[in-house]
Amino acid sequence: MQASQEPQTSSGIHSLYHQPMQQIEPYCFSPLQVLNSSSSGIGVSQGTEVSFQTCTEQFFTLESTPATDYVIYNSPAAGSVASNRSPFSPPCSQSYMSDIHHSSDNNYGSPLSGHSGVNDDNKLMQALMVLRDELLGPESEMDDSCSFYGVPSQTSTLNKFNRIIEMAPNMDLKQVLVACAEAVSEHDVSSAEALMDILERRVSVSGEPIERLSAYMLEGLRARLLSSGSIIYKKLKCKEITSSELISYMQVLYHVCPYYKFAYMSANVVIGEAMENENRIHIIDFQIAQGSQWVFLIRALAGRPGGPPYIHITGVDDSQSAHARGGGLELVGETLAKVAKSCGVPFEFHAAGMSGCEVQLENLQIRHGEALAVNFPYMLHHMPDESVSTTNHRDRLLRLVKSLSPKVVTLVEQESNTNTAPFLQRFCETLDYYTAMFESIDAARPREDKQRINAEEHCVARDVVNIIACEDTDRVERHELFGKWRLRLMMAGFSPIPLSQSVSTAIMDMLNEYSPNYRIAESNGALYLGWKNRAMATSSAWK
């Protein structure tokens, strides 16, 4: 009987997500197993094995770890999910380079596009050599940095940017962006301003995805050039709009793309399974926002055989989320208490209105006899690490949580590498990642949709500007690849918990509401959510 109840429990959790809302990092891949291919017209039988040429040089660093047993769900063989970093490509070979002429079928630097990585690298290098010769002449030499065209001397640099400016009107928009970013990184103000003038005439917040993203990346470059990044970022933190407007924009993003649902659903299924036999449950949510995630879990646990458990939720959140709510965490507590009462679930809420950097043991109300679950939803990347401060709140918080002996910890993060990367590499990574994000948003809303434009401007653009324009403590968007998160968690004493089939089933069911270009994959104990061939987010469980 107990075995037959497990799918009922998880099904009850993820099925609730289809109800209307109240409010609201390099890998080396082994042979790949494709399961449950979609009806996209590409015939792939179940269990088809696809092998890829291994790399002759592996770029394993602390930023990531090798991935093994890579399993793709609901995806054609040539459309699998991978990090945009890969041993099949040198660190510079990202989509802004390889995609000389922009295409909607961009592989985002993925090694799993069905082509030989070695051949692609050779073609890429040849293309760059030809373009370099056109700009600088055949006598110039290319270095191994991530610069647009690596040239050592000041005279050659000036000549380089003069030629780029001449050719810019006929260049791909991504190329002009990267050239402008390189001029900014080299403090070539005149060249940067000239390229910005060219970009200004080509970007549009209501145009194609790359045109919209470029508008915000251009704003970030301007802010960096003027050393006003933190000022502009603060102006973009939605302080100038009302809380009701901000909530409406967040709801637009919630409904048009699955990134939030991926976090909520995967974590709830994991927590629901881990707490199946517990009578007293304490959940600490380190970014509770509107608390909507727990509405679904409360309703699911209300129908548990033998009666619902006692649920104690501690919500951690900062002043920015308070602005979005239009009030403090007491609003979240009141909403969840009403839901729990309507479902007959014993419930208690504790508010911890502070940043994760401020959280101490005494803020968490740990009680003996309560099974503890901790949730980190797109939150830990905001914690400064050892590269920012010797306090290293990122690892401090993980060690604090481990000391509480939680039964389960859920972690969801964006799959991007913008933490310690130097500026130009970080710019290229941001361009690659958010190109995929803007394309995914574009698939759900018309170009002229005013709500989509507002949602991108107020809830996405600020992150882009922060990554590009800010440094040190002002740069709060510091993403890491899952391989790095895995190392951090293991160094803090955590062990990974394998995700059950119920988690991937819940996410696949949810993705049926969205574009077929979304897909999921499992690797190294994490569940990946991807857009086309670009990994966008990961979900994992720990104890």
Side-chain angles (χ1 to χ4, degrees), residues 383-506:
M383 297 297 98
D385 70 345
E386 66 278 2
S387 67
V388 181
S389 168
T390 54
T391 308
N392 189 2
H393 287 292
R394 189 169 298 197
D395 290 339
R396 180 194 69 83
L397 200 55
L398 288 175
R399 290 193 298 269
L400 172 62
V401 169
K402 179 59 181 175
S403 72
L404 307 178
S405 300
K407 190 164 187 181
V408 65
V409 173
T410 51
L411 173 70
V412 180
E413 280 293 346
Q414 293 169 244
E415 183 68 358
S416 184
N417 183 19
T418 62
N419 183 21
T420 57
F423 168 67
L424 191 58
Q425 181 181 338
R426 188 168 77 239
F427 181 90
C428 297
E429 171 76 350
T430 304
L431 175 59
D432 187 70
Y433 183 89
Y434 283 95
T435 294
M437 177 172 286
F438 273 67
E439 284 186 3
S440 68
I441 295 173
D442 190 68
R445 285 290 180 105
R447 294 276 166 84
E448 65 278 5
D449 189 293
K450 183 65 176 176
Q451 283 190 317
R452 178 198 54 72
I453 295 173
N454 287 331
E456 289 176 347
E457 177 184 355
H458 293 290
C459 302
V460 183
R462 58 177 182 166
D463 295 347
V464 173
V465 170
N466 182 258
I467 295 170
I468 295 172
C470 300
E471 292 295 349
D472 302 321
T473 56
D474 288 330
R475 183 157 62 87
V476 297
E477 299 297 328
R478 293 178 169 271
H479 308 104
E480 293 183 316
L481 300 175
F482 175 69
K484 184 63 177 290
W485 289 119
R486 188 171 185 269
L487 287 176
R488 285 191 186 278
L489 283 151
M490 294 178 73
M491 286 189 290
F494 289 97
S495 300
I497 299 177
L499 300 179
S500 72
Q501 181 65 37
S502 298
V503 180
S504 56
T505 299

Side-chain angles (χ1 to χ4, degrees), residues 142-161:
M142 194 172 188
D143 67 13
D144 59 356
S145 70
C146 275
S147 63
F148 192 75
Y149 305 106
V151 183
S153 70
Q154 182 177 2
T155 303
S156 298
T157 299
L158 293 174
N159 187 42
K160 168 185 66 176
F161 285 119

Side-chain angles (χ1 to χ4, degrees), residues 287 357 378-384 394 413 476-478:
Q287 187 160 299
C357 294
Y378 297 124
M379 173 270 177
L380 271 180
H381 72 269
H382 287 145
M383 297 297 98
R394 189 169 298 197
E413 280 293 346
V476 297
E477 299 297 328
R478 293 178 169 271

Side-chain angles (χ1 to χ4, degrees), residues 238-247 249 323 454 458-459:
C238 306
K239 297 291 185 182
E240 72 279 9
I241 61 175
T242 66
S243 59
S244 60
E245 287 174 323
L246 180 53
I247 287 177
Y249 300 151
H323 170 70
N454 287 331
H458 293 290
C459 302

